[in-house]
Amino acid sequence: MIPDFAKAEDARAWLAGVLEGFSCQTGTLHKADGEWLDLVVQVGVPDFLLPKIERIPFGKGIAGVAAERREPVELCNLQQDLGGVARPDARETKVSGSLAVPVISPDGSVVLGTLGVGMQDPHDFTDEEKARLSGIASDIGKTWSGC
């Protein structure tokens, strides 16, 4: 059940439940505003990093790349990312395995945001895990589109 994201405590509790289902310690949900992603809710992100993730341009960082590509973006070990997807400050989360998926409108025409999860240990997310997180993101897309 997707919560009323206007109620911060409901949104945090919902995201904490998502994280538990993936054995993850951190998570973010961003909503798109043009070519930018604005933070809706987060769990487990250190306070000193919040200013850096409150507003992310498409194409930057894991969430921004997921939005730009319109597909899941995974890093097995964010601490050793050599591909340049992760921003240098992302390593300060102490998260290793991370996955971000786009939230897309039901008709597939618009990126509405991103949903991301991360865990402290390196992890290759399975196709099933990617599909499951994408399914949750799809439910958010339906809610945000009013469908």
PDB file of all heavy atoms in Angstrom, residues 34-62:
ATOM      1  N   GLY A  34      10.504  18.621 -13.722  1.00  0.00           N
ATOM      2  CA  GLY A  34      11.245  18.899 -14.956  1.00  0.00           C
ATOM      3  C   GLY A  34      12.379  17.903 -15.080  1.00  0.00           C
ATOM      4  O   GLY A  34      12.181  16.705 -15.038  1.00  0.00           O
ATOM      5  N   GLU A  35      13.596  18.404 -15.208  1.00  0.00           N
ATOM      6  CA  GLU A  35      14.785  17.566 -15.312  1.00  0.00           C
ATOM      7  C   GLU A  35      15.525  17.477 -13.978  1.00  0.00           C
ATOM      8  O   GLU A  35      16.749  17.245 -13.948  1.00  0.00           O
ATOM      9  CB  GLU A  35      15.708  18.105 -16.413  1.00  0.00           C
ATOM     10  CG  GLU A  35      15.125  17.983 -17.808  1.00  0.00           C
ATOM     11  CD  GLU A  35      14.985  16.526 -18.263  1.00  0.00           C
ATOM     12  OE1 GLU A  35      15.957  15.760 -18.142  1.00  0.00           O
ATOM     13  OE2 GLU A  35      13.888  16.167 -18.739  1.00  0.00           O
ATOM     14  N   TRP A  36      14.809  17.642 -12.889  1.00  0.00           N
ATOM     15  CA  TRP A  36      15.379  17.572 -11.552  1.00  0.00           C
ATOM     16  C   TRP A  36      14.594  16.579 -10.717  1.00  0.00           C
ATOM     17  O   TRP A  36      13.399  16.379 -10.937  1.00  0.00           O
ATOM     18  CB  TRP A  36      15.347  18.940 -10.870  1.00  0.00           C
ATOM     19  CG  TRP A  36      16.291  19.909 -11.482  1.00  0.00           C
ATOM     20  CD1 TRP A  36      16.067  20.716 -12.567  1.00  0.00           C
ATOM     21  CD2 TRP A  36      17.627  20.180 -11.068  1.00  0.00           C
ATOM     22  NE1 TRP A  36      17.173  21.453 -12.844  1.00  0.00           N
ATOM     23  CE2 TRP A  36      18.157  21.158 -11.935  1.00  0.00           C
ATOM     24  CE3 TRP A  36      18.427  19.690 -10.038  1.00  0.00           C
ATOM     25  CZ2 TRP A  36      19.449  21.644 -11.805  1.00  0.00           C
ATOM     26  CZ3 TRP A  36      19.715  20.188  -9.905  1.00  0.00           C
ATOM     27  CH2 TRP A  36      20.216  21.153 -10.788  1.00  0.00           C
ATOM     28  N   LEU A  37      15.253  15.990  -9.726  1.00  0.00           N
ATOM     29  CA  LEU A  37      14.630  15.086  -8.775  1.00  0.00           C
ATOM     30  C   LEU A  37      14.655  15.740  -7.398  1.00  0.00           C
ATOM     31  O   LEU A  37      15.728  16.121  -6.919  1.00  0.00           O
ATOM     32  CB  LEU A  37      15.392  13.760  -8.718  1.00  0.00           C
ATOM     33  CG  LEU A  37      15.410  12.952 -10.008  1.00  0.00           C
ATOM     34  CD1 LEU A  37      16.446  11.837  -9.918  1.00  0.00           C
ATOM     35  CD2 LEU A  37      14.028  12.384 -10.298  1.00  0.00           C
ATOM     36  N   ASP A  38      13.491  15.886  -6.783  1.00  0.00           N
ATOM     37  CA  ASP A  38      13.381  16.474  -5.450  1.00  0.00           C
ATOM     38  C   ASP A  38      13.082  15.377  -4.439  1.00  0.00           C
ATOM     39  O   ASP A  38      12.189  14.543  -4.651  1.00  0.00           O
ATOM     40  CB  ASP A  38      12.264  17.519  -5.414  1.00  0.00           C
ATOM     41  CG  ASP A  38      12.591  18.732  -6.265  1.00  0.00           C
ATOM     42  OD1 ASP A  38      13.761  19.152  -6.274  1.00  0.00           O
ATOM     43  OD2 ASP A  38      11.678  19.252  -6.930  1.00  0.00           O
ATOM     44  N   LEU A  39      13.810  15.378  -3.334  1.00  0.00           N
ATOM     45  CA  LEU A  39      13.660  14.363  -2.299  1.00  0.00           C
ATOM     46  C   LEU A  39      12.281  14.453  -1.654  1.00  0.00           C
ATOM     47  O   LEU A  39      11.864  15.519  -1.203  1.00  0.00           O
ATOM     48  CB  LEU A  39      14.753  14.530  -1.243  1.00  0.00           C
ATOM     49  CG  LEU A  39      14.802  13.470  -0.149  1.00  0.00           C
ATOM     50  CD1 LEU A  39      15.140  12.103  -0.735  1.00  0.00           C
ATOM     51  CD2 LEU A  39      15.824  13.865   0.910  1.00  0.00           C
ATOM     52  N   VAL A  40      11.586  13.318  -1.615  1.00  0.00           N
ATOM     53  CA  VAL A  40      10.286  13.221  -0.961  1.00  0.00           C
ATOM     54  C   VAL A  40      10.459  12.635   0.437  1.00  0.00           C
ATOM     55  O   VAL A  40       9.923  13.149   1.410  1.00  0.00           O
ATOM     56  CB  VAL A  40       9.317  12.336  -1.789  1.00  0.00           C
ATOM     57  CG1 VAL A  40       8.015  12.089  -1.037  1.00  0.00           C
ATOM     58  CG2 VAL A  40       9.060  12.960  -3.145  1.00  0.00           C
ATOM     59  N   VAL A  41      11.225  11.550   0.527  1.00  0.00           N
ATOM     60  CA  VAL A  41      11.458  10.876   1.811  1.00  0.00           C
ATOM     61  C   VAL A  41      12.763  10.096   1.720  1.00  0.00           C
ATOM     62  O   VAL A  41      13.158   9.656   0.637  1.00  0.00           O
ATOM     63  CB  VAL A  41      10.267   9.951   2.181  1.00  0.00           C
ATOM     64  CG1 VAL A  41      10.101   8.826   1.190  1.00  0.00           C
ATOM     65  CG2 VAL A  41      10.385   9.425   3.600  1.00  0.00           C
ATOM     66  N   GLN A  42      13.417   9.971   2.864  1.00  0.00           N
ATOM     67  CA  GLN A  42      14.635   9.176   2.941  1.00  0.00           C
ATOM     68  C   GLN A  42      14.680   8.456   4.279  1.00  0.00           C
ATOM     69  O   GLN A  42      14.076   8.900   5.249  1.00  0.00           O
ATOM     70  CB  GLN A  42      15.884  10.045   2.749  1.00  0.00           C
ATOM     71  CG  GLN A  42      16.124  11.086   3.825  1.00  0.00           C
ATOM     72  CD  GLN A  42      16.823  10.557   5.076  1.00  0.00           C
ATOM     73  OE1 GLN A  42      17.510   9.539   5.043  1.00  0.00           O
ATOM     74  NE2 GLN A  42      16.636  11.249   6.196  1.00  0.00           N
ATOM     75  N   VAL A  43      15.400   7.371   4.303  1.00  0.00           N
ATOM     76  CA  VAL A  43      15.665   6.635   5.536  1.00  0.00           C
ATOM     77  C   VAL A  43      17.135   6.244   5.517  1.00  0.00           C
ATOM     78  O   VAL A  43      17.631   5.710   4.515  1.00  0.00           O
ATOM     79  CB  VAL A  43      14.790   5.359   5.653  1.00  0.00           C
ATOM     80  CG1 VAL A  43      15.235   4.485   6.819  1.00  0.00           C
ATOM     81  CG2 VAL A  43      13.330   5.719   5.791  1.00  0.00           C
ATOM     82  N   GLY A  44      17.849   6.542   6.598  1.00  0.00           N
ATOM     83  CA  GLY A  44      19.213   6.078   6.766  1.00  0.00           C
ATOM     84  C   GLY A  44      20.304   6.906   6.136  1.00  0.00           C
ATOM     85  O   GLY A  44      21.477   6.558   6.253  1.00  0.00           O
ATOM     86  N   VAL A  45      19.968   7.993   5.460  1.00  0.00           N
ATOM     87  CA  VAL A  45      20.987   8.843   4.845  1.00  0.00           C
ATOM     88  C   VAL A  45      21.524   9.783   5.921  1.00  0.00           C
ATOM     89  O   VAL A  45      20.738  10.443   6.609  1.00  0.00           O
ATOM     90  CB  VAL A  45      20.410   9.651   3.663  1.00  0.00           C
ATOM     91  CG1 VAL A  45      21.458  10.602   3.087  1.00  0.00           C
ATOM     92  CG2 VAL A  45      19.880   8.709   2.582  1.00  0.00           C
ATOM     93  N   PRO A  46      22.854   9.858   6.079  1.00  0.00           N
ATOM     94  CA  PRO A  46      23.410  10.764   7.093  1.00  0.00           C
ATOM     95  C   PRO A  46      22.977  12.211   6.854  1.00  0.00           C
ATOM     96  O   PRO A  46      22.907  12.670   5.703  1.00  0.00           O
ATOM     97  CB  PRO A  46      24.920  10.613   6.914  1.00  0.00           C
ATOM     98  CG  PRO A  46      25.108   9.289   6.244  1.00  0.00           C
ATOM     99  CD  PRO A  46      23.893   9.098   5.379  1.00  0.00           C
ATOM    100  N   ASP A  47      22.696  12.918   7.946  1.00  0.00           N
ATOM    101  CA  ASP A  47      22.206  14.298   7.862  1.00  0.00           C
ATOM    102  C   ASP A  47      23.102  15.207   7.037  1.00  0.00           C
ATOM    103  O   ASP A  47      22.612  16.057   6.294  1.00  0.00           O
ATOM    104  CB  ASP A  47      22.039  14.895   9.267  1.00  0.00           C
ATOM    105  CG  ASP A  47      20.861  14.302  10.019  1.00  0.00           C
ATOM    106  OD1 ASP A  47      19.996  13.663   9.386  1.00  0.00           O
ATOM    107  OD2 ASP A  47      20.812  14.477  11.252  1.00  0.00           O
ATOM    108  N   PHE A  48      24.425  15.027   7.145  1.00  0.00           N
ATOM    109  CA  PHE A  48      25.329  15.931   6.433  1.00  0.00           C
ATOM    110  C   PHE A  48      25.265  15.753   4.917  1.00  0.00           C
ATOM    111  O   PHE A  48      25.692  16.624   4.175  1.00  0.00           O
ATOM    112  CB  PHE A  48      26.774  15.786   6.940  1.00  0.00           C
ATOM    113  CG  PHE A  48      27.433  14.474   6.593  1.00  0.00           C
ATOM    114  CD1 PHE A  48      28.184  14.351   5.427  1.00  0.00           C
ATOM    115  CD2 PHE A  48      27.322  13.387   7.433  1.00  0.00           C
ATOM    116  CE1 PHE A  48      28.791  13.144   5.112  1.00  0.00           C
ATOM    117  CE2 PHE A  48      27.930  12.185   7.132  1.00  0.00           C
ATOM    118  CZ  PHE A  48      28.669  12.056   5.959  1.00  0.00           C
ATOM    119  N   LEU A  49      24.675  14.629   4.452  1.00  0.00           N
ATOM    120  CA  LEU A  49      24.545  14.419   3.007  1.00  0.00           C
ATOM    121  C   LEU A  49      23.203  14.887   2.453  1.00  0.00           C
ATOM    122  O   LEU A  49      23.040  14.995   1.238  1.00  0.00           O
ATOM    123  CB  LEU A  49      24.737  12.943   2.665  1.00  0.00           C
ATOM    124  CG  LEU A  49      26.157  12.416   2.807  1.00  0.00           C
ATOM    125  CD1 LEU A  49      26.207  10.931   2.507  1.00  0.00           C
ATOM    126  CD2 LEU A  49      27.103  13.176   1.901  1.00  0.00           C
ATOM    127  N   LEU A  50      22.246  15.166   3.323  1.00  0.00           N
ATOM    128  CA  LEU A  50      20.909  15.542   2.851  1.00  0.00           C
ATOM    129  C   LEU A  50      20.921  16.724   1.892  1.00  0.00           C
ATOM    130  O   LEU A  50      20.217  16.684   0.869  1.00  0.00           O
ATOM    131  CB  LEU A  50      19.965  15.780   4.025  1.00  0.00           C
ATOM    132  CG  LEU A  50      19.611  14.527   4.819  1.00  0.00           C
ATOM    133  CD1 LEU A  50      18.731  14.880   6.007  1.00  0.00           C
ATOM    134  CD2 LEU A  50      18.960  13.478   3.940  1.00  0.00           C
ATOM    135  N   PRO A  51      21.695  17.784   2.149  1.00  0.00           N
ATOM    136  CA  PRO A  51      21.690  18.892   1.188  1.00  0.00           C
ATOM    137  C   PRO A  51      22.130  18.473  -0.226  1.00  0.00           C
ATOM    138  O   PRO A  51      21.706  19.067  -1.205  1.00  0.00           O
ATOM    139  CB  PRO A  51      22.681  19.889   1.787  1.00  0.00           C
ATOM    140  CG  PRO A  51      22.706  19.577   3.249  1.00  0.00           C
ATOM    141  CD  PRO A  51      22.499  18.090   3.345  1.00  0.00           C
ATOM    142  N   LYS A  52      22.936  17.429  -0.325  1.00  0.00           N
ATOM    143  CA  LYS A  52      23.434  16.979  -1.625  1.00  0.00           C
ATOM    144  C   LYS A  52      22.437  16.109  -2.372  1.00  0.00           C
ATOM    145  O   LYS A  52      22.565  15.930  -3.579  1.00  0.00           O
ATOM    146  CB  LYS A  52      24.753  16.254  -1.458  1.00  0.00           C
ATOM    147  CG  LYS A  52      25.832  17.166  -0.885  1.00  0.00           C
ATOM    148  CD  LYS A  52      27.125  16.448  -0.745  1.00  0.00           C
ATOM    149  CE  LYS A  52      28.143  17.282  -0.036  1.00  0.00           C
ATOM    150  NZ  LYS A  52      28.752  18.309  -0.804  1.00  0.00           N
ATOM    151  N   ILE A  53      21.450  15.547  -1.658  1.00  0.00           N
ATOM    152  CA  ILE A  53      20.483  14.679  -2.336  1.00  0.00           C
ATOM    153  C   ILE A  53      19.083  15.275  -2.369  1.00  0.00           C
ATOM    154  O   ILE A  53      18.171  14.654  -2.897  1.00  0.00           O
ATOM    155  CB  ILE A  53      20.442  13.268  -1.713  1.00  0.00           C
ATOM    156  CG1 ILE A  53      19.850  13.305  -0.301  1.00  0.00           C
ATOM    157  CG2 ILE A  53      21.798  12.602  -1.746  1.00  0.00           C
ATOM    158  CD1 ILE A  53      19.422  11.953   0.219  1.00  0.00           C
ATOM    159  N   GLU A  54      18.916  16.465  -1.814  1.00  0.00           N
ATOM    160  CA  GLU A  54      17.591  17.082  -1.818  1.00  0.00           C
ATOM    161  C   GLU A  54      17.124  17.439  -3.220  1.00  0.00           C
ATOM    162  O   GLU A  54      15.935  17.394  -3.514  1.00  0.00           O
ATOM    163  CB  GLU A  54      17.573  18.317  -0.915  1.00  0.00           C
ATOM    164  CG  GLU A  54      17.606  17.958   0.550  1.00  0.00           C
ATOM    165  CD  GLU A  54      17.655  19.160   1.469  1.00  0.00           C
ATOM    166  OE1 GLU A  54      18.057  20.262   1.029  1.00  0.00           O
ATOM    167  OE2 GLU A  54      17.300  18.988   2.643  1.00  0.00           O
ATOM    168  N   ARG A  55      18.038  17.793  -4.091  1.00  0.00           N
ATOM    169  CA  ARG A  55      17.699  18.158  -5.474  1.00  0.00           C
ATOM    170  C   ARG A  55      18.825  17.657  -6.365  1.00  0.00           C
ATOM    171  O   ARG A  55      19.960  18.102  -6.255  1.00  0.00           O
ATOM    172  CB  ARG A  55      17.513  19.654  -5.597  1.00  0.00           C
ATOM    173  CG  ARG A  55      16.935  20.089  -6.939  1.00  0.00           C
ATOM    174  CD  ARG A  55      16.285  21.467  -6.793  1.00  0.00           C
ATOM    175  NE  ARG A  55      15.895  22.048  -8.049  1.00  0.00           N
ATOM    176  CZ  ARG A  55      14.741  21.808  -8.667  1.00  0.00           C
ATOM    177  NH1 ARG A  55      13.872  20.993  -8.143  1.00  0.00           N
ATOM    178  NH2 ARG A  55      14.453  22.397  -9.810  1.00  0.00           N
ATOM    179  N   ILE A  56      18.493  16.718  -7.246  1.00  0.00           N
ATOM    180  CA  ILE A  56      19.480  16.050  -8.093  1.00  0.00           C
ATOM    181  C   ILE A  56      19.076  16.234  -9.553  1.00  0.00           C
ATOM    182  O   ILE A  56      17.931  15.964  -9.915  1.00  0.00           O
ATOM    183  CB  ILE A  56      19.532  14.542  -7.775  1.00  0.00           C
ATOM    184  CG1 ILE A  56      19.903  14.309  -6.313  1.00  0.00           C
ATOM    185  CG2 ILE A  56      20.493  13.822  -8.706  1.00  0.00           C
ATOM    186  CD1 ILE A  56      19.758  12.860  -5.868  1.00  0.00           C
ATOM    187  N   PRO A  57      20.006  16.648 -10.411  1.00  0.00           N
ATOM    188  CA  PRO A  57      19.661  16.745 -11.836  1.00  0.00           C
ATOM    189  C   PRO A  57      19.627  15.362 -12.489  1.00  0.00           C
ATOM    190  O   PRO A  57      20.374  14.461 -12.089  1.00  0.00           O
ATOM    191  CB  PRO A  57      20.783  17.599 -12.417  1.00  0.00           C
ATOM    192  CG  PRO A  57      21.935  17.392 -11.501  1.00  0.00           C
ATOM    193  CD  PRO A  57      21.350  17.129 -10.137  1.00  0.00           C
ATOM    194  N   PHE A  58      18.763  15.190 -13.461  1.00  0.00           N
ATOM    195  CA  PHE A  58      18.772  13.968 -14.261  1.00  0.00           C
ATOM    196  C   PHE A  58      20.193  13.784 -14.784  1.00  0.00           C
ATOM    197  O   PHE A  58      20.850  14.735 -15.194  1.00  0.00           O
ATOM    198  CB  PHE A  58      17.814  14.081 -15.450  1.00  0.00           C
ATOM    199  CG  PHE A  58      16.367  13.786 -15.134  1.00  0.00           C
ATOM    200  CD1 PHE A  58      15.796  14.127 -13.928  1.00  0.00           C
ATOM    201  CD2 PHE A  58      15.576  13.169 -16.073  1.00  0.00           C
ATOM    202  CE1 PHE A  58      14.461  13.860 -13.652  1.00  0.00           C
ATOM    203  CE2 PHE A  58      14.239  12.890 -15.818  1.00  0.00           C
ATOM    204  CZ  PHE A  58      13.680  13.230 -14.602  1.00  0.00           C
ATOM    205  N   GLY A  59      20.666  12.546 -14.761  1.00  0.00           N
ATOM    206  CA  GLY A  59      21.982  12.228 -15.296  1.00  0.00           C
ATOM    207  C   GLY A  59      23.104  12.275 -14.282  1.00  0.00           C
ATOM    208  O   GLY A  59      24.213  11.857 -14.596  1.00  0.00           O
ATOM    209  N   LYS A  60      22.845  12.750 -13.068  1.00  0.00           N
ATOM    210  CA  LYS A  60      23.888  12.844 -12.042  1.00  0.00           C
ATOM    211  C   LYS A  60      23.588  11.888 -10.898  1.00  0.00           C
ATOM    212  O   LYS A  60      22.457  11.834 -10.404  1.00  0.00           O
ATOM    213  CB  LYS A  60      23.994  14.269 -11.476  1.00  0.00           C
ATOM    214  CG  LYS A  60      24.411  15.292 -12.502  1.00  0.00           C
ATOM    215  CD  LYS A  60      25.848  15.093 -12.923  1.00  0.00           C
ATOM    216  CE  LYS A  60      26.244  16.180 -13.909  1.00  0.00           C
ATOM    217  NZ  LYS A  60      27.582  16.027 -14.404  1.00  0.00           N
ATOM    218  N   GLY A  61      24.591  11.153 -10.468  1.00  0.00           N
ATOM    219  CA  GLY A  61      24.407  10.204  -9.383  1.00  0.00           C
ATOM    220  C   GLY A  61      23.555   9.029  -9.827  1.00  0.00           C
ATOM    221  O   GLY A  61      23.082   8.963 -10.963  1.00  0.00           O
ATOM    222  N   ILE A  62      23.380   8.098  -8.926  1.00  0.00           N
ATOM    223  CA  ILE A  62      22.656   6.866  -9.249  1.00  0.00           C
ATOM    224  C   ILE A  62      21.191   7.163  -9.576  1.00  0.00           C
ATOM    225  O   ILE A  62      20.654   6.677 -10.577  1.00  0.00           O
ATOM    226  CB  ILE A  62      22.777   5.865  -8.085  1.00  0.00           C
ATOM    227  CG1 ILE A  62      24.249   5.514  -7.852  1.00  0.00           C
ATOM    228  CG2 ILE A  62      21.962   4.608  -8.345  1.00  0.00           C
ATOM    229  CD1 ILE A  62      24.522   4.869  -6.526  1.00  0.00           C
TER     230      ILE A  62
END
